[in-house]
Amino acid sequence: MEKQKIAELRKILTSRLNRPMRYYNDTCTRCGLCYDTCHAYQGIPEKIYSPVGRAEVVRKLYKKYTRLSGYLFPYWGDSTSFNDPVMDEAYKAVWSCTGCRRCVMNCPFGIDTALMMSVGKHLLIQNGTAPEELVMLADAAVEKGKSIEEFKEGYRQVIRDLEKEVQKRLGLAEPDGLIPMEKKNAEILYVGLAGAHTIVNPAIIFNAARENWTLSFFEGVNFGFFAGDPEKADFIAKRIINEATALNVKEIVIVECGTAFRIMRFLMGKLPFKVSSIVEVIHRYLAAGRIKLKDKSVAEPVTYHDPCQIGRNGGIYDEPRDIIHAVAADYREMSPTREQNWCCGGGGGLVALDNEEFRIKSGKPKKEQIVKTGAKIVVTACENCVMQLKTIANGYGLDVEIKYLTEFVCENLIR
Amino acid sequence: MGWSDVYYFIMVPMVYAAFAIFMAGIVFKLIVVFFSKKSKGTFSTFPKILPRPLGVLKDAFLVPVAWKRDKILWFFIIAYHAAFVLLFIGHLELIKEFALLQIIPHQVFLGAGIVGIVLIISVLYFLFRRFKSPWRGISVPEDYLILLLIFMTMIVGSHLNLAARYNAAGFDIPVEDYRTYLSSLFAFNPTIPAGITGSPHYVLVALHIFFANLVLMVIPFSKIIHMVFTFLSLNIQRK
Ligand code: SF4
Ligand code: SF4
């Protein structure tokens, strides 16, 4: 590897050495308690897919470049310099980690392997070996943020078509105003995704609840975060924050996308408005009687998959269960559940990559969980999870239907 | 330079150097952490059942993760760390008499030799556990070497304790001699009493202190720093 490149990689490495990273680098005792707590390791039992195995790839680089002992006695802690095989190893470690943070719950020190992997992603971008598709999607999102005025008219057209769909499904006379845009002082700025279902279903719910809301021009998904580029991740999230500030809304409501929700609620510092997941909002409407659902109308067994960023990393466990309980006559809990629920294997941008075979294998514990419940409908509240659960269902030939929570609610909404 | 100079070096200048490196190392580590960037967001996991300080202390001292995942490891983690606290108290009493520590009257060194044996068995467990897959695969030389160093320190220390307690073959070094030596170090007026230098066990005392010096110097710069960082790291998880 060229000296120049090594210098650039070192710069990234040291720039990412913040307080948590210092703790995580120094504290791991390699006790191995986290070893088999990663779904990827469960599917493919190789060291590189274990949390500690992955973390060591980044840690040994830190040891080499930020510790005297790593420099003087590399064998003491197995420290290593930047070279092509190490970067290949990093690719394998990083791009098989969904950032689900299940391992954090199973480490006596709470070491956040996902954070360490985000440093690995950053290094791979600098190395020029990051997955191109994610880098391109992140660039496109940044570009949209820079020249939003050019995108607006085209987007309004798309939304007009979606309003007709909402009108049809709500049985209303007029489509106008069913998906408001650029509405100042609205209670809610709803942030969707590119797929029509991420706008139509929530729009039905907002209208049913007579909410004063407006739709964002931006998608909630943060490809900058997935790619591992902190600057782009920040820019992409700030597009929405700026929009919300300009419109003077009281609350940002995030689509069924776990990462978008976690970034906005937990990783952007203090914001002048509330950040909620659409799941919490539906729960709120239900509790306040603003929407009504057909009581126990679904007879088939239903289970719920906790998206990692909404459950374990977001603290939203009871709300989706309450909503499903209202509709499902036969609700079945997965085991293990809640904070110990297995990740589906699609998060962290993995579902956007050409890696289906790997994702089917790493989805093995999820498949086993679903099969054990005997459920025929799996409900979840994350775009990535739905896509990955469908891949798992197809890959293992499961006889289950995968549904978004908003879809499940809309199907059982009393109009 | 004879052996007595080597022993003197280990038991006086090296002890000062080890303590200085230990304390400066910990302070250095904390300063570095203090001046590092904080993260903008929060890294919590949910649910957070107990309030932060209480939750952190529970996770740090009761190690519920190990209890859930590997009960044998949990047993040895708790045994090792609890015995380590007793070991620390035992050494305090080798410096001078603390009335407070004698609330439960006991012979110095406390534990009748059990403390050292528990530590040795635990260290051996930690060591042998690493010989087995998958822990073998994730271990680096540091993991073995530190355990080996601790084992060496403890096996010699334990031997000295047992010999003194059970007065084996006249190898006893009385507590008063240790107190003279250790308190003189604290008073920066080091003397090694004849009871120690004249004992057939002098070489073992020097060896014990040599290994202990190495352990002290290694603590801030190795994974043993988890004795400080555990609390900081767990705190982030609950912020
Ligand atoms: S459980 Fe934590 S300390 Fe133990 S090996 Fe895994 S990351 Fe390291
Ligand atoms: S964050 Fe999730 S995917 Fe990544 S190592 Fe931990 S358990 Fe595995």
Side-chain angles (χ1 to χ4, degrees):
Chain A
M1 202 178 259
E2 294 162 24
K3 271 192 175 161
Q4 170 71 15
K5 183 171 258 178
I6 293 180
E8 287 163 1
L9 290 170
R10 281 183 70 166
K11 227 166 119 191
I12 301 270
L13 204 63
T14 39
S15 76
R16 296 294 301 268
L17 193 53
N18 59 9
R19 272 193 209 182
M21 279 301 295
R22 286 195 186 273
Y23 303 151
Y24 302 153
N25 272 337
D26 286 359
T27 310
C28 176
T29 56
R30 284 166 294 277
C31 68
L33 279 170
C34 63
Y35 206 81
D36 56 357
T37 61
C38 177
H39 59 279
Y41 179 83
Q42 289 285 327
I44 311 167
E46 288 177 25
K47 178 175 123 183
I48 196 76
Y49 299 131
S50 73
V52 56
R54 294 178 205 279
E56 279 298 303
V57 179
V58 172
R59 193 175 281 122
K60 62 191 185 183
L61 289 166
Y62 269 117
K63 281 184 195 163
K64 176 76 189 177
Y65 295 110
T66 63
R67 275 206 204 160
L68 193 62
S69 61
Y71 181 75
L72 295 177
F73 318 110
Y75 50 83
W76 167 258
D78 231 2
S79 66
T80 181
S81 319
F82 283 110
N83 55 49
D84 290 332
V86 166
M87 294 313 284
D88 291 346
E89 208 186 355
Y91 188 96
K92 210 173 163 187
V94 158
W95 287 107
S96 58
C97 169
T98 56
C100 72
R101 301 175 85 230
R102 189 174 191 269
C103 49
V104 179
M105 307 297 301
N106 293 295
C107 168
F109 310 111
I111 289 174
D112 191 342
T113 305
L115 186 73
M116 302 194 71
M117 292 302 96
S118 76
V119 176
K121 285 183 174 181
H122 202 169
L123 292 171
L124 289 168
I125 294 178
Q126 186 64 46
N127 195 43
T129 51
E132 253 176 60
E133 49 273 60
L134 283 180
V135 175
M136 274 163 53
L137 286 165
D139 288 341
V142 168
E143 197 41 50
K144 187 172 175 184
K146 284 182 181 159
S147 44
I148 184 62
E149 292 306 322
E150 291 166 29
F151 287 88
K152 279 188 175 172
E153 199 33 52
Y155 197 55
R156 282 192 198 101
Q157 283 298 337
V158 174
I159 296 305
R160 260 172 232 139
D161 288 341
L162 296 186
E163 278 184 321
K164 287 179 199 146
E165 166 87 18
V166 176
Q167 175 211 2
K168 206 165 76 192
R169 289 187 39 199
L170 279 173
L172 297 173
E174 281 298 320
D176 294 346
L178 291 179
I179 306 181
M181 298 189 79
E182 295 177 274
K183 191 172 170 189
K184 284 218 163 203
N185 304 319
E187 292 290 318
I188 284 176
L189 173 71
Y190 171 70
V191 187
L193 294 171
H197 61 280
T198 68
I199 296 172
V200 171
N201 288 329
I204 290 173
I205 297 167
F206 287 135
N207 279 288
R210 304 195 186 287
E211 184 58 87
N212 174 16
W213 71 293
T214 185
L215 176 70
S216 169
F217 275 105
F218 300 105
E219 298 88 35
V221 60
N222 194 321
F223 286 109
F225 187 83
F226 285 154
D229 188 323
E231 271 175 36
K232 284 183 192 157
D234 204 56
F235 183 89
I236 291 170
K238 279 194 179 138
R239 300 172 316 170
I240 299 164
I241 296 171
N242 294 340
E243 188 186 23
T245 311
L247 290 175
N248 193 32
V249 297
K250 295 204 179 72
E251 183 178 7
I252 292 185
V253 174
I254 305 284
V255 61
E256 291 167 286
C257 170
T259 305
F261 168 67
R262 178 166 176 241
I263 292 173
M264 204 54 90
R265 172 106 132 216
F266 297 107
L267 301 181
M268 294 308 293
K270 224 174 152 43
L271 297 176
F273 29 71
K274 197 172 158 188
V275 176
S276 307
S277 156
I278 182 79
V279 180
E280 293 170 293
V281 175
I282 298 172
H283 187 257
R284 214 156 71 198
Y285 293 160
L286 204 59
R290 288 175 70 177
I291 59 168
K292 291 207 162 38
L293 299 177
K294 294 176 197 154
D295 188 28
K296 308 285 179 204
S297 56
V298 174
E300 285 182 301
V302 181
T303 187
Y304 177 69
H305 163 71
D306 276 300
C308 303
Q309 310 303 343
I310 290 184
R312 180 161 43 242
N313 303 319
I316 303 175
Y317 292 119
D318 294 328
E319 292 86 342
R321 287 174 171 79
D322 288 350
I323 297 166
I324 297 170
H325 269 298
V327 178
D330 181 4
Y331 176 73
R332 302 185 183 180
E333 197 61 70
M334 290 196 200
S335 171
T337 184
R338 296 188 177 226
E339 70 271 24
Q340 291 292 348
N341 180 42
W342 285 107
C343 170
C344 62
L350 259 64
V351 90
L353 305 180
D354 180 18
N355 55 5
E356 204 175 296
E357 201 186 321
F358 170 80
R359 282 190 287 113
I360 291 173
K361 284 188 189 156
S362 65
K364 190 174 141 236
K366 189 84 255 167
K367 176 219 63 174
E368 284 166 2
Q369 269 188 304
I370 295 173
V371 170
K372 249 203 265 168
T373 62
K376 290 284 169 244
I377 300 173
V378 182
V379 177
T380 190
C382 173
E383 183 77 14
N384 276 346
C385 297
V386 167
M387 294 209 274
Q388 167 67 358
L389 290 172
K390 285 183 176 168
T391 304
I392 293 175
N394 285 338
Y396 291 101
L398 305 185
D399 176 25
V400 288
E401 233 185 311
I402 315 293
K403 282 186 193 283
Y404 295 91
L405 186 71
T406 47
E407 182 188 358
F408 191 66
V409 166
C410 285
E411 283 171 358
N412 297 286
L413 195 65
I414 300 175
R415 310 237 156 86
Chain B
M1 197 170 91
W3 276 109
S4 60
D5 297 319
V6 174
Y7 294 165
Y8 183 83
F9 171 77
I10 289 170
M11 291 185 57
V12 179
M14 193 182 176
V15 173
Y16 284 126
F19 265 95
I21 291 172
F22 168 72
M23 287 192 288
I26 301 256
V27 170
F28 169 74
K29 279 276 182 185
L30 287 173
I31 288 175
V32 167
V33 159
F34 186 75
F35 281 104
S36 308
K37 266 187 299 186
K38 277 202 211 171
S39 46
K40 185 162 71 175
T42 55
F43 290 87
S44 305
T45 53
F46 296 88
K48 295 191 250 186
I49 294 164
L50 290 173
R52 184 152 31 126
L54 214 61
V56 168
L57 294 178
K58 184 204 86 183
D59 287 352
F61 289 117
L62 300 181
V63 209
V65 166
W67 172 255
K68 258 185 268 161
R69 301 195 43 77
D70 184 341
K71 297 226 171 5
I72 300 177
L73 179 63
W74 178 85
F75 173 80
F76 282 110
I77 289 174
I78 297 293
Y80 178 85
H81 289 87
F84 206 91
V85 173
L86 297 178
L87 185 84
F88 181 75
I89 295 173
H91 280 86
L92 277 185
E93 289 186 298
L94 284 185
I95 300 170
K96 70 189 209 56
E97 202 180 317
F98 290 92
L100 191 70
L101 297 178
Q102 282 292 344
I103 286 179
I104 303 169
H106 58 265
Q107 186 188 329
V108 178
F109 200 101
L110 54 71
I114 301 289
V115 170
I117 289 170
V118 167
L119 286 164
I120 290 165
I121 294 173
S122 307
V123 166
L124 285 177
Y125 173 77
F126 296 144
L127 189 65
F128 288 134
R129 186 172 173 270
R130 292 197 181 274
F131 291 178
K132 225 179 109 196
S133 180
W135 300 285
R136 186 183 184 142
I138 52 168
S139 301
V140 302
E142 172 189 351
D143 301 327
Y144 298 104
L145 293 172
I146 286 178
L147 286 171
L148 218 59
L149 198 56
I150 295 176
F151 175 77
M152 296 303 283
T153 315
M154 285 172 177
I155 197 95
V156 180
S158 192
H159 174 82
L160 288 169
N161 177 26
L162 291 173
R165 177 174 285 267
Y166 301 107
N167 203 2
F171 279 119
D172 179 16
I173 298 175
V175 172
E176 284 62 40
D177 285 336
Y178 286 122
R179 284 189 175 155
T180 310
Y181 161 62
L182 288 172
S183 55
S184 79
L185 281 179
F186 271 88
F188 292 103
N189 182 21
T191 43
I192 310 176
I196 294 179
T197 52
S199 160
H201 263 166
Y202 187 25
V203 58
L204 290 182
V205 175
L207 206 58
H208 177 66
I209 291 174
F210 175 71
F211 288 132
N213 286 341
L214 292 183
V215 172
L216 270 180
M217 290 191 278
V218 153
I219 286 174
F221 309 105
S222 69
K223 64 179 190 177
I224 316 180
I225 192 74
H226 76 257
M227 68 188 239
V228 180
F229 282 3
T230 300
F231 304 96
L232 304 173
S233 172
L234 285 171
N235 187 46
I236 296 181
Q237 200 193 339
R238 290 176 171 268
K239 241 178 174 175

